[in-house]
Amino acid sequence: MHETILKEHQLTTCISPITLQDIRTLKELYRLKAETRELREPIVRNIIKQRVVGRSCVESLKNALYSLETIYIDDDTGQRLLKIDGIKQIEVDLTYEIRELQKDIYYLEYGEDKFIDYLAKFIPEFRSYVNQGIDMLRGKRFNAFVTDRDGTTNNYCGRYRSSIQPIYNAVFISRFAKNCCRYPIFITSAPLKDFGILNVSINPSNTFVYAGSKGREFIDLDGHFNSFPIEENKQKMIRLLNDRLHVLLQDPFFEKFNFIGSAMQIKFGQTTVARQDISRSIKDDESSAFLEKVKSIVREIDPENRNFRIEDTGLDIEIILTIDVNRENSSIKDFDKGDGLTFITSKLGIDKTIGPNLVCGDTVSDIPMLKKAVEMFDDVWAVFVTRDEKLKKQVEEICPNSYIVPYPDILLTILGLLSL
């Protein structure tokens, strides 16, 4: 009888198991990562439903891990190499891809308690940070939970297309969204889809409001799409910009920027193109030269500097359409996550008088989101993931009820344990 019950509750949806693969090209890497997403998504769904995960799923993840670990390593540089096409090669740092697969395998094989012990072995002062965070937020049910993704609830990856959400990550944050929040909202600078946050997330359906392009576009909990209105002339300008950038990235001297970090992302009212990645695989002079080339294209299209704003993060060049603040005096500003949060709360009809509300971020681009939340809501709490003392001080000045942690896995563990 016991075996029959186990069989009924076992995950048997590993329809397309992942086999060992000889990965030699970037295209093959991305295809393997897509396969891990297809495998991971139903696993998360079934864990949340308290079903046992079949052994074949774990074996598939191990096959994916081994396929990554055996990618060719250059003897001289010590870097893994993948072909872009028949001739050209690129160095790839697969730390994120390998590390997150290792974590998922451990999580599935040993369970949540031992997995948290496992994290504590590698993250300094892990338990102290987690316990303090739980003490701060214990017993609260949040009206709105507004969070960034990369660097906040998800570890950074060298290439956005490879940053598939891990299983443990999705279980922890989805459980928190379901059990502790009324409006769980992701606001990210990445596009919504093709290729965006929806393509790398594996949270169960109808769990989060997903907002891309800093909140200019979002899908609500019922799957309805909403977008911030853009004037026709500005739409024409950003289409022209995108065409010019596509041509630039076909230049043999600049084409390498297609394959690092965020690559080129066409968003809603914004375009992002990477000039560096977290592994710093591009020489500084080449990265700077590319930045200046992009700036010159923007100046040619918008010589009066009224329609675009450029935000350089050091890794990404973000070219953002401005919005009108006051038509009478022609004042304009770039669209930020604070504007996105205003748009989303208005569309969803979120009651601003209800609290508490939780905001999470990791960079200065999340500060407008925090400022707007403090301005709109009566009761705001914040957890930021950073080791930057300047940013830490800024967060604490804006939101007295704030807490700073150094790594995304600490924040995830706090949220996961709060939701039990």
Side-chain angles (χ1 to χ4, degrees), residues 106-274:
Y106 195 98
Y107 175 75
L108 293 177
E109 290 194 317
Y110 296 100
E112 191 164 307
D113 290 342
K114 288 187 177 179
F115 175 74
I116 291 173
D117 292 337
Y118 174 78
L119 291 179
K121 292 179 182 178
F122 302 102
I123 300 176
E125 300 181 73
F126 177 84
R127 293 196 180 280
S128 175
Y129 277 112
V130 169
N131 290 338
Q132 287 180 53
I134 289 173
D135 288 344
M136 174 180 165
L137 300 176
R138 181 183 282 117
K140 292 178 173 58
R141 178 168 177 81
F142 295 98
N143 177 43
F145 166 45
V146 184
T147 183
D148 172 57
R149 180 187 186 261
D150 297 286
T152 303
T153 63
N154 207 83
N155 289 301
Y156 274 117
C157 177
R159 290 150 304 281
Y160 190 80
R161 192 174 284 266
S162 278
S163 67
I164 305 301
Q165 185 181 14
I167 292 165
Y168 76 92
N169 180 305
V171 172
F172 283 14
I173 199 165
S174 295
R175 193 170 67 202
F176 179 76
K178 289 286 189 184
N179 296 344
C180 303
C181 314
R182 187 177 180 189
Y183 292 101
I185 305 168
F186 273 112
I187 301 182
T188 175
S189 295
L192 198 54
K193 56 183 178 179
D194 303 327
F195 197 90
I197 186 171
L198 294 178
N199 304 102
V200 294
S201 298
I202 59 170
N203 302 304
S205 300
N206 311 116
T207 302
F208 283 93
V209 174
Y210 289 103
S213 309
K214 295 188 176 177
R216 281 186 186 263
E217 52 175 349
F218 74 92
I219 291 180
D220 64 23
L221 293 173
D222 296 319
H224 298 135
F225 175 79
N226 299 266
S227 61
F228 190 87
I230 299 176
E231 298 172 13
E232 179 60 30
N233 69 308
K234 292 195 175 188
Q235 290 182 29
K236 289 179 180 177
M237 294 189 79
I238 201 163
R239 283 197 293 267
L240 176 59
L241 170 71
N242 293 335
D243 290 343
R244 291 285 301 275
L245 290 177
H246 275 303
V247 171
L248 177 67
L249 290 169
Q250 289 171 9
D251 184 324
F253 187 75
F254 293 119
E255 66 177 349
K256 67 184 71 176
F257 295 97
N258 280 302
F259 306 107
I260 64 163
S262 302
M264 180 177 173
Q265 295 180 341
I266 297 176
K267 308 174 183 180
F268 195 83
Q270 178 180 334
T271 297
T272 296
V273 60

Side-chain angles (χ1 to χ4, degrees), residues 80-93:
R80 288 184 169 84
L81 295 177
L82 288 175
K83 292 180 180 178
I84 298 172
D85 52 31
I87 302 172
K88 297 169 187 171
Q89 294 187 123
I90 188 171
E91 293 182 355
V92 291
D93 181 350

Side-chain angles (χ1 to χ4, degrees), residues 68-86:
L68 295 178
E69 291 175 331
T70 52
I71 289 174
Y72 174 74
I73 298 177
D74 183 81
D75 292 334
D76 295 327
T77 65
Q79 295 293 323
R80 288 184 169 84
L81 295 177
L82 288 175
K83 292 180 180 178
I84 298 172
D85 52 31

